[in-house]
Amino acid sequence: MNTLPPPCPRPPTVQPARPEALALRWNRQPLPPPQAVQTLEFRAGETALLEVEQGRVWVTCDGLLEDYFLEAGQRLSFTGPVRIRVSAEGQRPALLNWALHRQPATASRPTAASATGGMQLRAA
């Protein structure tokens, strides 16, 4: 069930493939098919960046009605606060890359990127 008290998160945006635009620390997360759904949580001022490296990944976001199915090479981003749930779709394993972008508190738009390794996937 996708429920989240207001304010509801904005729908995700598709990110162009421009690795030089942000210096981020990407995390690789294997998603075996029989594994439970994994959860990512991001706070206000953080942006979740997701990219599928291999396989097909199911993505849903609490508070949004749509589910997303991403193939290898496809990306999504979600602006926090947000709770995202992911899993491999079908019988084949998938590999998800994800990063956290934190907007500087004093900037009105992202001018510099910083990443943290503190965010972890966990079983829902």
Side-chain angles (χ1 to χ4, degrees):
M1 180 184 302
N2 288 338
T3 59
L4 184 71
C8 287
R10 292 184 294 185
T13 57
V14 176
Q15 296 295 313
R18 291 183 46 191
E20 72 282 357
L22 296 174
L24 299 172
R25 180 174 168 218
W26 287 90
N27 301 276
R28 292 179 111 190
Q29 179 65 37
L31 298 171
Q35 187 177 19
V37 171
Q38 302 293 303
T39 304
L40 280 168
E41 294 187 43
F42 296 87
R43 295 178 280 226
E46 297 177 339
T47 301
L49 304 169
L50 307 176
E51 180 181 58
V52 177
E53 183 176 326
Q54 171 188 324
R56 182 176 164 95
V57 176
W58 167 78
V59 179
T60 192
C61 175
D62 288 6
L64 294 179
L65 296 176
E66 299 87 7
D67 287 354
Y68 303 92
F69 295 92
L70 302 178
E71 303 285 340
Q74 293 183 314
R75 291 181 173 184
L76 282 179
S77 70
F78 295 87
T79 302
V82 66
R83 180 179 297 137
I84 302 166
R85 299 173 197 276
V86 299
S87 69
E89 175 66 16
Q91 299 301 314
R92 298 180 56 191
L95 185 57
L96 177 71
N97 294 319
W98 62 272
L100 164 67
H101 173 257
R102 236 182 230 145
Q103 182 173 334
T106 58
S108 60
R109 60 179 210 220
T111 56
S114 64
T116 180
M119 190 62 61
Q120 295 294 322
L121 285 169
R122 66 175 192 256

